[in-house]
Every structure is written in structure tokens, then in C-alpha cells.
Amino acid sequence: MIDEFPEELLIKAELLPVIFPVHMVTGGLALLLVPAALLLSGHPRWHRPVARLAALDVLLAGLTAFPVALIEPVTLGSALGFTAQGAVWLVLLALGIWHIRHGRREAHRACMLLMTAATSGAIFFRVYLALFAIYGSYRFYPQFYAVDAWLAWGLPTLLTALFLQRTGGFPRKA
């Protein structure tokens, strides 16, 4: 079991006294708002305001993800993983908004399901980190952290993409 975890979050809080708390709060809210918008998708009256709030929240969390990922990272690999997650998040958000504004509901739905999968990476990252704390060796912590930064969001996003492809959830090209 690991007795000492690096103090990377404390360092980020000191170096980014405004951006880091904004990222942590908006990232946490995204874990509630994104699934709520998805669950309300069959009820436009409720879905639209919750989805707009979720989109604003994801925009803030996504933009603040870059400095948080790049300032004093545990490893370059973890910085790149978190940066890629933020970029994928913002691209899927932009595509989802573009599709719904152009009446492409199926494409919007696919983008939002993928964005939800990428969002779940915040949960999986912590679950994998907790498992590593219990079963891992601190000697391999930097390597594990880098892999976790990619696997936590990448695997759910990939599995969701495969599910959408297999079930016809991706719209057909016109």
C-alpha cells in the first residue's frame, strides 16, 4: 500500500489559485450536469436549460483543464493524457452544439454520448488511482499515473464509440 502520494494537487492549487478551483468545481458539476442533461433528453422543456448549463460548465471545465494539466504535471504522459481529454471534451461539445443547431439530432446524440463517456473519465481515474493505492507499488506511481490519465477517459469513450457503431447510433452519411 502507498503511504505517500505526491502533493501534485496542492502544488497546482498554489500555482493556479483561481484556475485550479474553477476547474475542480466545474469538473465536479459536469459529473452531475452532463448525465442529467442526457437523462432529460426525452423532455425538451427540462433538457434544454439543463443542457445549456451543462455546456457552459463543460466549456469552463474544459478550458481550465489545459493549464491544470500542463502546470507541474506528474509526468509528461499524464499531462498529455489530461490535455487530450480536455480537447476531446471541447471538440465533442462543439460538434454536439453544431449538430443540434443544424437539426441533426442523431449526430448530436452520438456526440453527447461520447462526451458523457469522456466525462466519466474523472470517476474512473479516481477509482483506478484508489485501486493502485491499495495494490500498487509507489515505485511505479509515475508510470501508472500516466497510463491512468489516458485509460480512464479513453477506454469509456472508445467503448461508447464501438457501441454506437455496432448499434447504428452514428448517423449515416447523406
Side-chain angles (χ1 to χ4, degrees), residues 69-135:
L70 298 171
I71 298 294
E72 294 293 324
V74 173
T75 66
L76 177 61
S78 63
L80 294 174
F82 292 131
T83 299
Q85 180 183 17
V88 166
W89 217 18
L90 293 172
V91 166
L92 289 168
L93 174 64
L95 287 171
I97 291 170
W98 187 88
H99 285 304
I100 200 63
R101 287 195 174 163
H102 289 86
R104 301 188 61 202
R105 292 180 66 197
E106 286 182 40
H108 169 75
R109 179 181 175 275
C111 288
M112 295 301 96
L113 286 171
L114 289 165
M115 191 181 81
T116 303
T119 303
S120 75
I123 296 168
F124 287 114
F125 179 80
R126 284 154 182 84
V127 169
Y128 301 154
L129 200 58
L131 291 171
F132 184 82
I134 295 167
Y135 299 110

Side-chain angles (χ1 to χ4, degrees), residues 7-20:
E7 297 180 10
E8 67 270 357
L9 296 181
L10 179 61
I11 292 168
K12 289 177 186 289
E14 290 175 1
L15 294 174
L16 302 166
V18 174
I19 292 173
F20 183 72

Side-chain angles (χ1 to χ4, degrees), residues 4-65:
E4 304 172 16
F5 267 82
E7 297 180 10
E8 67 270 357
L9 296 181
L10 179 61
I11 292 168
K12 289 177 186 289
E14 290 175 1
L15 294 174
L16 302 166
V18 174
I19 292 173
F20 183 72
V22 167
H23 176 70
M24 296 307 285
V25 169
T26 55
L29 282 173
L31 292 170
L32 300 171
L33 292 171
V34 170
L38 184 65
L39 290 171
L40 293 169
S41 62
H43 308 281
R45 178 181 175 177
W46 294 101
H47 172 74
R48 286 184 184 118
V50 171
R52 286 181 178 124
L53 185 58
L56 177 60
D57 182 73
V58 167
L59 178 64
L60 287 171
L63 290 174
T64 57

